């Protein structure tokens, strides 16, 4: 069973926020990690996409 586009997007956001939390940072629930410009946030999104 393959995930839909929306499901993948939600999963990437959740994983990126978890990775970011491992670095000691917290972002608001409605914060969009995939729109981030900070290098650490972008790295967490890249990890989540793998």
């Amino acid at each position: 069973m393959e995930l839909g586009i929306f499901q993948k997007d939600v999963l990437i956001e959740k994983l990126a926020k978890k990775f970011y939390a491992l670095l000691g940072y917290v972002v608001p629930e409605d914060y969009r990690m995939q729109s981030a410009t900070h290098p650490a946030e972008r790295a967490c999104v890249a990890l989540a996409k793998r």
Side-chain angles (χ1 to χ4, degrees), residues 7-49:
Q7 292 170 317
K8 286 181 184 178
D9 187 60
V10 171
L11 182 59
I12 289 168
E13 287 293 322
K14 285 185 178 188
L15 283 173
K17 288 177 184 174
K18 294 281 186 187
F19 290 138
Y20 203 47
L22 288 173
L23 295 174
Y25 300 104
V26 180
V27 293
E29 193 64 34
D30 62 341
Y31 184 73
R32 185 112 167 102
M33 292 290 287
Q34 293 182 67
S35 298
T37 57
H38 190 276
E41 294 172 356
R42 292 176 59 94
C44 291
V45 171
L47 284 173
K49 287 182 175 181

